[in-house]
């Protein structure tokens, strides 16, 4: 009974959100390290290592390890607070986008995924990021925030703000946790961070989709 309920709930998740979230969880589970709690659920899979997944242009171009173009977006590090934080935001905002702004427009949503992923891959060739999944998650948050500008939000009951400020609030929170963040919207230096990449990716997508749609009618899905 519990399994059937879980299956029904799982199948109700929109297809793109379901596919990407599941791929991320399975990829992380496949490389999980020795942790007592995970022994119970995953029996310490350790099928692959992060070294087989990370983004490396030389290995992709010279050794034809093209799977890295995909796997670099699927691995979020060892299971812990950072992983859970990213999975929650990935699932929440990806689903809200797919059920909201992109309802009935799966092709547009997939195009946004591919377009953002392509731009971040290009940027990744010039910066020192080896896993792009977290940047992609923040891109989804940014997309949602720009499409829901009138939504009021509350951060841990401490801060009230409008949705467009959400990426910057998250950036500040990440900074408080000790992460190194250098904000450079144009991605012009080699120190550009994941925040630069996600914001720049969405800005370019916005220009090619939203602005054109407003001027000439909505693009076909």
């Amino acid at each position: 009974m519990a399994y059937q309920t879980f299956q029904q709930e799982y199948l109700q998740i929109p297809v793109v959100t379901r596919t990407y979230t599941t791929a991320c969880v399975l990829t992380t589970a496949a490389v999980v390290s020795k942790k007592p709690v995970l022994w119970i659920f995953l029996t310490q899979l350790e099928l692959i290592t992060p070294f087989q997944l990370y983004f490396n242009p030389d290995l992709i171009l010279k050794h034809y390890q093209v799977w890295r173009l995909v796997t670099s977006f699927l691995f979020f590090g060892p299971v812990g607070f950072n992983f859970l934080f990213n999975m929650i935001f990935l699932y929440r905002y990806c689903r809200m986008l797919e059920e909201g702004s992109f309802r009935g427009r799966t092709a547009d949503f997939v195009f946004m995924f591919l377009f953002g992923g392509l731009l971040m891959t290009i940027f990744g060739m010039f910066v020192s990021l080896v896993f792009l999944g977290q940047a992609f998650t923040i891109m989804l948050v940014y997309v949602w925030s720009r499409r829901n500008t009138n939504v009021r939000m509350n951060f841990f009951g401490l801060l009230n703000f409008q949705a467009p400020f959400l990426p910057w609030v998250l950036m500040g929170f990440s900074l408080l946790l000790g992460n190194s963040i250098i904000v450079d919207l144009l991605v012009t230096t080699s120190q550009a961070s994941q925040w630069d990449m996600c914001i720049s990716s969405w800005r370019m997508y916005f220009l090619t989709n939203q602005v054109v749609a407003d001027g000439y009618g909505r693009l076909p899905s």
Side-chain angles (χ1 to χ4, degrees):
M1 183 67 181
Y3 171 76
Q4 292 179 344
T5 301
F6 172 79
Q7 184 182 40
Q8 290 175 353
E9 291 296 326
Y10 178 74
L11 293 177
Q12 287 179 358
I13 301 173
V15 61
V16 178
T17 301
R18 181 172 70 239
T19 301
Y20 184 49
T21 305
T22 300
C24 292
V25 172
L26 292 180
T27 300
T28 299
V31 298
V32 70
S33 60
K34 296 180 180 179
K35 294 182 183 294
V37 175
L38 294 173
W39 266 89
I40 301 175
F41 301 102
L42 303 171
T43 62
Q44 191 194 353
L45 295 179
E46 292 187 297
L47 301 177
I48 52 180
T49 70
F51 297 104
Q52 297 170 293
L53 306 176
Y54 76 98
F55 180 74
N56 187 314
D58 288 336
L59 293 177
I60 294 171
L61 297 175
K62 296 179 181 179
H63 297 274
Y64 308 108
Q65 297 183 9
V66 294
W67 65 83
R68 295 177 185 272
L69 292 171
V70 176
T71 57
S72 59
F73 287 92
L74 302 180
F75 182 63
F76 286 79
V79 176
F81 176 78
N82 191 56
F83 171 77
L84 294 177
F85 185 81
N86 278 287
M87 285 298 98
I88 290 172
F89 273 79
L90 169 63
Y91 171 77
R92 175 179 172 81
Y93 290 98
C94 189
R95 179 166 186 170
M96 286 197 297
L97 275 174
E98 192 169 2
E99 293 182 334
S101 300
F102 291 91
R103 177 181 292 274
R105 300 167 53 210
T106 302
D108 275 356
F109 197 49
V110 171
F111 173 76
M112 189 202 74
F113 261 60
L114 297 177
F115 188 82
L118 174 62
L119 289 177
M120 279 187 275
T121 298
I122 295 174
F123 296 152
M125 293 181 180
F126 303 99
V127 298
S128 56
L129 279 179
V130 293
F131 291 105
L132 307 175
Q134 188 170 359
F136 191 81
T137 298
I138 301 303
M139 187 197 78
L140 293 175
V141 173
Y142 188 86
V143 172
W144 180 86
S145 71
R146 296 305 301 174
R147 286 182 171 266
N148 297 272
T149 56
N150 295 321
V151 175
R152 293 283 298 174
M153 307 197 71
N154 182 280
F155 192 71
F156 291 132
L158 301 175
L159 182 64
N160 294 310
F161 55 91
Q162 295 290 116
F165 293 100
L166 177 59
W168 310 107
V169 172
L170 294 179
M171 183 180 65
F173 178 68
S174 183
L175 187 61
L176 288 175
L177 292 179
N179 297 326
S180 176
I181 296 177
I182 301 174
V183 180
D184 181 357
L185 295 178
L186 299 178
V187 198
T188 56
T189 70
S190 61
Q191 300 300 317
S193 67
Q194 61 197 18
W195 298 91
D196 308 325
M197 295 167 60
C198 72
I199 291 171
S200 297
S201 296
W202 169 240
R203 286 190 186 280
M204 293 183 69
Y205 173 78
F206 180 83
L207 288 175
T208 59
N209 185 300
Q210 189 69 34
V211 174
V212 174
D214 289 345
Y216 300 99
R218 178 159 299 281
L219 297 176
S221 58

